[in-house]
Amino acid sequence: MKATLLTTLTLIGIASPALAAAGAQEHSGLLVWAFIGFFGLIVVAQLVPAFLVLLGVAKSFGREQQHQIN
């Protein structure tokens, strides 16, 4: 167990400088932007029904309060 943990930590320590390579290009391709746009579309598509449900709850709460006053 200790040997496996030590080996794993050693490999992570050796490999981590390779992950931060200097001079890496920082521009994204068309597929990356398409994926981000698709993800945004999914988020918006989920927010619209949630907003409508909240609007319906608020309306029903208002009707319930009005019935209690009368």
Side-chain angles (χ1 to χ4, degrees):
M1 176 70 178
K2 286 183 182 181
T4 305
L5 181 62
L6 184 60
T7 304
T8 305
L9 291 175
T10 303
L11 288 175
I12 290 173
I14 292 170
S16 61
L19 297 175
Q25 295 179 354
E26 295 187 17
H27 67 319
S28 301
L30 180 63
L31 288 177
V32 173
W33 286 109
F35 177 74
I36 291 171
F38 184 68
F39 180 72
L41 185 66
I42 290 173
V43 169
V44 169
Q46 293 295 318
L47 286 176
V48 170
F51 179 73
L52 293 176
V53 167
L54 286 174
L55 189 64
V57 168
K59 283 183 180 180
S60 67
F61 183 72
R63 287 186 201 135
E64 184 178 314
Q65 294 297 323
Q66 190 177 25
H67 288 293
Q68 289 179 357
I69 293 173
N70 293 335

